[in-house]
Amino acid sequence: MTITITAFERSPDGGKGLARDTRVRWALEEVGQPYEVRLVSFRTMKEAAHLALHPFGQIPTYEEGDLALFETGAIVFHIAERHAGLLPEHANARARAITWVFAALNTVEPPILERETARLLEGDKLWYRERLPLVEYRVHDRLKQLSTRLADADWLDGAFSAGDLMMVSVLLRLKSSGMLDEYPNLTAYVARGEARPAYTRAFAAQLAVYTGTSPPD
Ligand SMILES: N[C@@H](CCC(=O)N[C@@H](CS)C(=O)NCC(=O)O)C(=O)O
């Protein structure tokens, strides 16, 4: 059955791979599932046809036969459940990997997004300079805790899993900030994620949309 995802027709990040279709592409590449992409503009994302797929008018969405999903956590979990490669076989290890997916989305991503929102939308407010250090403190708090847990392991819990895919995707949002530099093990962790052939293919595919070129085979 054909899998179709949606992505930005023109990503605001200029093809840096930060739009959330990249994590879905990455998951599909990890499990070897081909997929098609329907590009949407900011205008069409808010129209009825797209809202029927995604009630909040966002990307990415995921369609497979009569199944339509939104939310990258749910999409990556669905892919990982149906195809080998992203979740361990053993029930407890599987539950722990799923826990890391939730941790990435519910505990680590929110302060990172708060920082992005502050920088993008609040830079002209009088209180911005006072607030930013508080927001960055909250990001560092999470990074410190994550760094302690990861220690010198390659991945968060044994072999690479959907939990690592999601955590690396979330941490990548900080790459240009320099904030990860204080945590060499997290920097190396992110680099390990980026070095995976499946990530490389996913990144190239989203970049090709932006540059208008064909992704490499
Ligand atoms: N929690 C959602 C977030 C989706 C999201 O924020 N998508 C962004 C692109 S990365 C978007 O569509 N932004 C445009 C908008 O919200 O209008 C998920 O993980 O799928």
Side-chain angles (χ1 to χ4, degrees):
M1 222 175 299
T2 306
I3 294 171
T4 305
I5 67 166
T6 49
F8 283 133
E9 190 177 73
R10 193 138 189 93
S11 180
D13 77 346
K16 291 195 182 71
L18 301 181
R20 289 173 177 81
D21 56 292
T22 305
R23 27 181 108 160
V24 174
R25 293 173 187 270
W26 185 7
L28 288 165
E29 292 287 354
E30 288 285 351
V31 301
Q33 284 297 302
Y35 62 97
E36 292 181 359
V37 183
R38 191 170 62 252
L39 300 176
V40 291
S41 66
F42 273 89
R43 185 176 53 77
T44 54
M45 279 162 62
K46 309 300 174 196
E47 289 174 354
H50 188 78
L51 288 170
L53 293 171
H54 196 309
F56 307 112
Q58 296 181 315
I59 61 101
T61 57
Y62 175 101
E63 291 157 81
E64 184 185 6
D66 57 7
L67 175 69
L69 295 174
F70 60 97
E71 285 295 333
T72 52
I75 297 169
V76 168
F77 180 57
H78 170 79
I79 295 166
E81 279 256 286
R82 271 157 192 74
H83 307 281
L86 283 171
L87 286 176
E89 285 293 317
H90 187 274
N92 286 359
R94 204 174 174 89
R96 288 196 302 272
I98 294 165
T99 300
W100 281 114
V101 174
F102 279 92
L105 295 172
N106 287 353
T107 304
V108 179
E109 192 170 47
I112 294 175
L113 292 180
E114 201 185 346
R115 177 180 176 273
E116 278 176 28
T117 307
R119 288 169 57 85
L120 289 174
L121 304 177
E122 297 167 358
D124 59 343
K125 303 286 187 284
L126 287 175
W127 36 263
Y128 171 73
R129 283 186 186 285
E130 260 184 274
R131 181 165 185 264
L132 189 64
L134 301 176
V135 172
E136 294 199 330
Y137 175 82
R138 290 200 277 270
V139 176
H140 275 301
D141 214 23
R142 289 292 176 250
L143 295 180
K144 230 177 285 164
Q145 292 162 325
L146 186 66
S147 168
T148 302
R149 170 54 81 99
L150 181 66
D152 59 359
D154 279 356
W155 306 113
L156 287 165
D157 193 311
F160 175 84
S161 77
D164 295 297
L165 183 151
M166 202 55 91
M167 192 64 82
V168 168
S169 299
V170 164
L171 295 178
L172 275 166
R173 303 190 81 96
L174 287 173
K175 204 175 164 190
S176 64
S177 73
M179 291 179 82
L180 285 174
D181 297 351
E182 289 181 38
Y183 313 91
N185 66 339
L186 293 185
T187 308
Y189 173 64
V190 169
R192 262 192 300 280
E194 287 180 293
R196 291 181 71 83
Y199 178 82
T200 309
R201 288 194 295 274
F203 184 87
Q206 65 76 37
L207 180 62
V209 174
Y210 192 82
T211 57
T213 54
S214 308
D217 287 334

